[in-house]
Amino acid sequence: MIEPVVAGPPPPPPSRAGPSPRLVALKSRDFRLLLGGQLVSLTGTQMQQVAVVWQLYLLSGSPLALGMLGFFRVIPIVLFALGGGVLADALDRRKLMLATQSALAAVSVALAVLSHAQKTSPAAIYALAFVAGAATAFDNPARQALVPRLVDSAQLPNALSLYVTVFQIATITGPALVGLLLATTGPIFIYVVDVLSYTVVIGALLSLEHRHTGRGASRISFRAAADGLRFLRRTPVIWSTMLLDFVATFFAGSLLLLPIFADQLLRVGPRGLGLLYAAQPFGAALTGAVLSAMRPIRRQGAAMLWSVAVYGASVALFGLSPWFWLSFLLLSLSGAADMVSSIIRNIVRQTLTPDELRGRMSSVVMIFFMGGPQLGEVEAGVVARLFGARVSVASGGILCVAATAAAAFLVPPLRRYRT
């Protein structure tokens, strides 16, 4: 495979490590700092997001109101993501992240103040979700494009696997903690914890020694945005994985309905809700830990298609499950399958994308990666209101499996892709 051309200052020199792929990315001090900071910050973010969903459910009691939260989260992603990618390729990615992380912390401050004053309303939650989505539209491309600058090319697959694993660990720890805290302290304390968690990642960013983080590699212009889209059009393996992810999560991404399952169908309350939210990342983290200690999967196209199919089937069965622990296991299985798919998509994209385009490619990926589940939550809310939550989730999982079969048949290069 031809190595992508890297613009701007060179990355760190190649590692002299032996052939073992186990945790080689942790040899980079800067990557360890960023990874640790993100673990704390993402845990706080997951706590905040579950608290917001539960608070909105108590205020509205409506599946459609829960689904609309996804709408207000995704609209700023669609509007600003490509611009965020252009900035990530033109500016210092570290400094851009400092600004976006500060903005996200301010959102949690506002949530805490509103809750303390008992002024929280669905409209206020939607407005703050829009602001957080706008900040994320600039934060995610900068973060995704920063990681490859902190490790060498031999360490990159392991770094991406570890990064996804840390994300999944955060999504286990956060919901598991928030389930207990919601039942004892309420949402205000959770929002304060989230604010404090952002200070950790901001401190990590300020401590990075590697300063060549992409500045000057691109100009801020519409042409720069178009360059990213032209590259995507010329790379069918990347756009087909993105499209499959969007379709799969649009149909099977219905986690915003979990409060209804916890309260009305499984009758486990806020503590059970925290466990249900932690189930998918629990399965994903276990799978990620195994994959981080293995050599990269070679038949990546086939592995991704099978993993997405298992994800959809698990979600469909979860929608029909009458027992809490079976529901937990099925969600864990779906998380494990989604982890395989996520790591493969990240490795394929980061390997095939030149460094000077990484920010813009990350922004396009974010539109698909976040747009699918967020718009899917709106769809799930509408179907749940018409036919019930179980029908909404089960039918979405079945359609996810059907979409995967269609992709395997219609896009042979994806099915055959291998390293």
Side-chain angles (χ1 to χ4, degrees), residues 21 157-158 161 287 290-307 336-337 339-345 347-348 351 417-419:
N158 183 244
S161 179
T287 304
V290 172
L291 293 176
S292 297
M294 293 172 54
R295 298 187 182 278
I297 298 171
R298 293 195 175 276
R299 297 186 61 188
Q300 294 178 340
M304 194 188 74
L305 288 167
W306 277 110
S307 63
M339 181 58 145
V340 176
S341 172
S342 297
I343 289 178
I344 291 175
R345 288 196 311 271
I347 292 175
V348 169
T351 301
Y417 181 79
R418 60 187 298 160
T419 54

Side-chain angles (χ1 to χ4, degrees), residues 13-19 24 27 152 154-155:
S15 171
R16 296 180 180 272
V24 293
K27 293 183 178 182
D152 64 47
Q155 297 169 336

Side-chain angles (χ1 to χ4, degrees), residues 46-391:
Q46 293 299 315
M47 294 173 65
Q48 180 244 64
Q49 290 183 352
V50 176
V52 165
V53 171
W54 184 250
Q55 203 171 14
L56 180 60
Y57 173 68
L58 294 179
L59 288 170
S60 66
S62 166
L64 184 58
L66 293 175
M68 288 303 296
L69 181 60
F71 175 79
F72 284 99
R73 284 174 174 170
V74 78
I75 285 299
I77 301 294
V78 175
L79 292 177
F80 304 126
L82 196 53
V86 172
L87 290 183
D89 287 332
L91 304 177
D92 186 314
R93 293 160 182 171
R94 184 182 66 93
K95 291 180 179 178
L96 185 56
M97 279 191 67
L98 287 170
T100 56
Q101 293 289 307
S102 299
L104 289 167
V107 169
S108 287
V109 170
L111 286 168
V113 171
L114 286 173
S115 296
H116 179 72
Q118 297 185 342
K119 299 292 185 181
T120 307
S121 66
I125 289 176
Y126 294 150
L128 290 170
F130 184 93
V131 174
T136 302
F138 294 92
D139 179 80
N140 195 65
R143 177 161 37 89
Q144 293 285 335
L146 176 60
V147 170
R149 303 292 290 182
L150 305 181
V151 296
D152 64 47
S153 58
Q155 297 169 336
L156 182 57
N158 183 244
L160 296 173
S161 179
L162 285 170
Y163 205 90
V164 177
T165 301
V166 161
F167 174 80
Q168 299 297 349
I169 291 173
T171 50
I172 296 171
T173 309
L177 290 173
V178 82
L180 176 62
L181 292 174
L182 280 175
T184 55
T185 66
I188 300 175
F189 179 74
I190 295 168
Y191 297 143
V192 172
V193 169
D194 187 39
V195 174
L196 296 176
S197 75
Y198 281 110
T199 65
V200 177
V201 73
I202 289 172
L205 290 167
L206 291 172
S207 301
L208 295 184
E209 293 179 349
H210 192 67
R211 291 294 192 254
H212 301 308
T213 55
R215 180 172 52 196
S218 173
R219 294 185 177 182
I220 302 175
S221 65
F222 288 106
R223 182 175 181 179
D227 288 342
L229 296 177
R230 280 192 290 268
F231 171 78
L232 180 62
R233 186 179 61 185
R234 298 193 306 266
T235 318
V237 172
I238 294 180
W239 65 252
S240 61
T241 60
M242 290 164 49
L243 185 60
L244 177 60
D245 179 55
F246 178 87
V247 173
T249 54
F250 177 82
F251 288 127
S254 52
L255 291 185
L256 235 67
L257 297 179
L258 285 185
I260 298 175
F261 277 82
D263 184 48
Q264 301 178 20
L265 301 177
L266 301 176
R267 300 188 182 280
V268 290
R271 287 185 175 85
L273 175 66
L275 290 175
L276 288 176
Y277 267 112
Q280 279 192 338
F282 172 74
L286 289 179
T287 304
V290 172
L291 293 176
S292 297
M294 293 172 54
R295 298 187 182 278
I297 298 171
R298 293 195 175 276
R299 297 186 61 188
Q300 294 178 340
M304 194 188 74
L305 288 167
W306 277 110
S307 63
V308 175
V310 171
Y311 169 77
S314 302
V315 170
L317 292 172
F318 161 74
L320 301 175
S321 168
W323 302 295
F324 172 74
W325 287 110
L326 177 60
S327 300
F328 181 89
L329 291 174
L330 288 169
L331 284 178
S332 299
L333 178 59
S334 71
D338 187 51
M339 181 58 145
V340 176
S341 172
S342 297
I343 289 178
I344 291 175
R345 288 196 311 271
N346 272 281
I347 292 175
V348 169
R349 174 171 53 86
Q350 295 282 23
T351 301
L352 298 181
T353 303
D355 184 74
E356 68 269 19
L357 290 174
R358 280 199 171 108
R360 279 162 284 181
M361 288 306 303
S362 296
S363 67
V364 176
V365 169
M366 180 172 56
I367 294 174
F368 284 80
F369 172 73
M370 300 188 70
Q374 302 292 357
L375 292 175
E377 287 167 355
V378 179
E379 178 267 342
V382 172
V383 176
R385 184 170 184 176
L386 295 174
F387 304 105
R390 289 198 183 277
V391 173

